[in-house]
Amino acid sequence: MPLDAKYKRLANNTLLFAVSNFSAKLLSIVLQPYITFAMGQVEEVGITKLVQNIGSLLIPLVSMGVSYAIIRFGLDEKVKKGAVFTDGLVTILTGFVLMLCCYPLLRFIPLFAEYAPFLYIHVLVSCLRTWCTQFVRSRQLNRLVAVDGVLCSATNLGFTILFLSGFHMGAKGYVLAIICSDALSALFVFSIAGLGRYLRARYFSAALWRQMLAYALPMVPAQISFWVINASDLFFVQAMCGGYKDQTGEYWTGLLGVGYFLPTILSVLGTIFYEAWQLSAVTEKEGRQRFFSRVFGLYQSLLFCCCSGIILLCRPLMFIFKANFFDAWQFVPMLAIGTLFSCLNQFLNSIYMVEKRSTLSLYTMLAGAVVNCLLNWAFIPLMGPVGVTLASFLSYFVVFILRAVNTRGLLRLDYAPLRLSFNLAMVLAEAGLMIFQTPYWPLWCTLLTAGVCAFNFQGVLGIALQLLGKGRRRRRA
């Protein structure tokens, strides 16, 4: 396939997944300020974030990472689709039974016992929704994915308002809203896509199941390692920051949870792009090295521009929250840079996916998780709760370096290291000026943001024009 056609296909898929994810991620952004008003107390918001992250930890364990196997093997033309779908369900049900048996151990997780019924149902329903949507993606029914994303966001918003403002259920209501919207989404996708025809007992393939598990299981500790770098920061803060500035650990987890509000914008961009990119990464086989390198160049430019803007605006945008949450701005600069490298790491993970080398994904993320835990223990006593943001950034940066090195044997990507280094230096300088409130910091941060955008503008514009217009002009010629 010509290079321009590859870009056009990637752009079309990105647009469709943008429709799907934009509504979901916009909802998560909108809900953050709403939750601070609906719940009122910073500590209550902190508990909600902790419960939500317990679910995020358990979902990959129960699903055994099968979502990755479903889309990877579902895209393989030589594999029977019914076997992929059926084996996926068997994996999830097996994992859920094991989770039920592990309750005596799980109850020692903070807050788990109090919210156990909600968490069990939340984990199962979320796994089933992912099972359906990932298979639909592997069938490249991308318009259906987009419609489902919008509908799921709408129902989630409605249920959240109902359970928080109507029934005043707090953290339980928040989880219940996710359960209801995920359940409706799974039923909608299953029915509209006619997935029942792929689900038969006779389709079960033990040989394929072993292959899928061999690919998926290393992704479980990789996902848990990602959780350690990201979500575990809340638990470190809760455990180590009680009494810091005469506030409880829950207070600081609440502020930290709100601090993720703006970096979520980068996560939105990364998720939208990656869901489209993984389809192109697997299916586009000709000129793969050049294709990957050029897309990576565009991607890093967009991420650095967005990251710089987020750092610049983090203080004024905190005014949309309830007043006692304003101090959450201090977590944003380093969280934004850490999220940027999380997105770059996700891009490099696509190389492992193409080559079915999931163990390398595991090793690199595990190294990042270990670094994160060690740095959290070191930085929190020195810097307070904001220390976890520096630990997260450094952990993701370590993962990026490791992946940049060990993917060289799989695909020699051009990382444009000078451009990458200069971009990183500028956003780090901007973050430092913001955090330490140096004299005239608004002016310097504005100038640095303008510098980042100007430095990356030409490359982004050039590739975007090629993507949108050059292919058409060549065909007309």
Side-chain angles (χ1 to χ4, degrees):
M1 182 181 292
L3 190 61
D4 288 331
K6 294 181 181 181
Y7 283 121
K8 182 178 180 181
R9 182 175 179 178
L10 176 59
N12 290 336
N13 286 336
T14 302
L15 180 61
L16 286 171
F17 289 130
V19 173
S20 171
N21 282 283
F22 181 75
S23 58
K25 300 303 181 181
L26 178 63
L27 172 66
S28 67
I29 293 172
V30 170
L31 281 180
Q32 286 292 330
Y34 164 72
I35 289 172
T36 65
F37 285 95
M39 294 186 174
Q41 298 300 315
V42 179
E43 290 83 356
E44 191 174 5
V45 175
I47 292 173
T48 301
K49 295 296 181 182
L50 291 171
V51 172
Q52 183 181 11
N53 280 291
I54 292 171
S56 299
L57 170 64
L58 295 174
I59 287 171
L61 289 171
V62 170
S63 67
M64 303 186 197
V66 75
S67 62
Y68 295 97
I70 288 173
I71 194 165
R72 180 62 186 88
F73 285 83
L75 287 168
D76 195 330
E77 297 177 356
K78 300 178 181 179
V79 177
K80 294 181 179 179
K81 311 311 173 191
V84 172
F85 194 59
T86 302
D87 288 3
L89 179 61
V90 171
T91 306
I92 291 170
L93 295 180
T94 302
F96 186 70
V97 171
L98 292 174
M99 181 185 174
L100 290 172
C101 296
C102 289
Y103 176 77
L105 295 176
L106 294 175
R107 64 188 178 87
F108 290 106
I109 298 177
L111 300 175
F112 182 87
E114 182 179 354
Y115 295 90
F118 293 89
L119 284 168
Y120 269 106
I121 300 173
H122 165 48
V123 169
L124 177 61
V125 173
S126 294
C127 289
L128 292 176
R129 180 183 182 237
T130 303
W131 167 60
C132 293
T133 54
Q134 286 291 84
F135 186 74
V136 166
R137 286 190 177 98
S138 75
R139 304 299 299 141
Q140 303 198 45
L141 302 175
N142 298 331
R143 289 181 176 83
L144 176 58
V145 174
V147 172
D148 170 67
V150 174
L151 294 178
C152 186
S153 299
T155 55
N156 192 359
L157 176 61
F159 284 124
T160 300
I161 294 174
L162 174 65
F163 295 137
L164 291 188
S165 296
F167 297 136
H168 304 287
M169 295 179 64
K172 293 179 180 178
Y174 183 80
V175 176
L176 187 58
I178 298 174
I179 292 171
C180 293
S181 60
D182 280 355
L184 290 177
S185 170
L187 289 172
F188 172 76
V189 172
F190 190 91
S191 301
I192 298 300
L195 299 184
R197 68 181 184 273
Y198 296 102
L199 186 62
R200 297 286 188 277
R202 67 176 183 273
Y203 291 163
F204 176 76
S205 169
L208 177 62
W209 195 35
R210 287 192 293 270
Q211 292 179 39
M212 290 175 66
L213 288 178
Y215 176 81
L217 285 176
M219 302 302 293
V220 175
Q223 282 185 285
I224 293 174
S225 298
F226 175 80
W227 181 91
V228 169
I229 297 175
N230 190 9
S232 72
D233 291 348
L234 293 168
F235 293 91
F236 272 100
V237 168
Q238 183 199 31
M240 299 180 66
C241 293
Y244 183 77
K245 293 186 178 180
D246 298 323
Q247 298 290 352
T248 64
E250 287 75 16
Y251 173 86
W252 292 111
T253 60
L255 281 187
L256 177 59
V258 172
Y260 280 102
F261 165 70
L262 290 175
T264 298
I265 296 171
L266 281 177
S267 297
V268 172
L269 176 63
T271 301
I272 290 171
F273 173 79
Y274 186 73
E275 289 187 354
W277 171 246
Q278 62 184 347
L279 300 181
S280 294
V282 174
T283 57
E284 309 293 359
K285 299 179 180 179
E286 295 182 7
R288 182 172 279 166
Q289 180 174 309
R290 183 186 178 199
F291 184 45
F292 271 61
S293 296
R294 295 183 70 180
V295 172
F296 180 83
L298 168 63
Y299 191 42
Q300 70 148 306
S301 295
L302 288 173
L303 289 175
F304 275 107
C305 289
C306 291
C307 179
S308 183
I310 288 170
I311 295 172
L312 178 66
L313 298 175
C314 68
R315 283 176 63 91
L317 287 179
M318 282 299 154
F319 284 109
I320 68 176
F321 292 92
K322 201 171 181 179
N324 53 343
F325 287 87
F326 177 78
D327 287 341
W329 74 266
Q330 62 191 301
F331 298 105
V332 174
M334 296 309 300
L335 285 178
I337 302 175
T339 304
L340 182 153
F341 276 92
S342 174
C343 293
L344 294 180
N345 291 337
Q346 194 177 43
F347 183 94
L348 297 186
N349 189 68
S350 65
I351 299 176
Y352 300 141
M353 184 184 72
V354 169
E355 301 295 335
K356 295 183 180 179
R357 300 290 295 275
S358 54
T359 53
L360 294 178
S361 177
L362 162 61
Y363 297 149
T364 52
M365 284 306 300
L366 186 59
V370 172
V371 170
N372 180 257
C373 290
L374 294 175
L375 292 180
N376 276 338
W377 281 108
F379 290 164
I380 290 177
L382 294 175
M383 305 170 61
V386 76
V388 300
T389 64
L390 179 58
S392 292
F393 157 62
L394 292 175
S395 302
Y396 283 125
F397 186 70
V398 167
V399 175
F400 176 78
I401 295 299
L402 291 175
R403 290 187 174 181
V405 172
N406 70 19
T407 54
R408 302 293 283 177
L410 303 175
L411 186 71
R412 296 190 66 83
L413 204 65
D414 181 6
Y415 294 98
L418 292 178
R419 172 176 291 274
L420 184 64
S421 299
F422 190 63
N423 276 322
L424 178 58
M426 285 194 287
V427 294
L428 284 174
E430 184 181 0
L433 291 167
M434 174 72 70
I435 292 171
F436 294 109
Q437 301 285 278
T438 57
Y440 306 108
W441 65 264
L443 172 62
W444 297 121
C445 289
T446 301
L447 291 175
L448 281 169
T449 299
V452 171
C453 293
F455 182 67
N456 292 283
F457 178 76
Q458 185 175 1
V460 173
L461 180 63
I463 296 177
L465 290 176
Q466 181 186 48
L467 174 63
L468 296 175
K470 187 176 178 181
R472 289 183 181 178
R473 289 196 297 271
R474 284 185 176 179
R475 283 193 292 274
R476 287 174 182 171

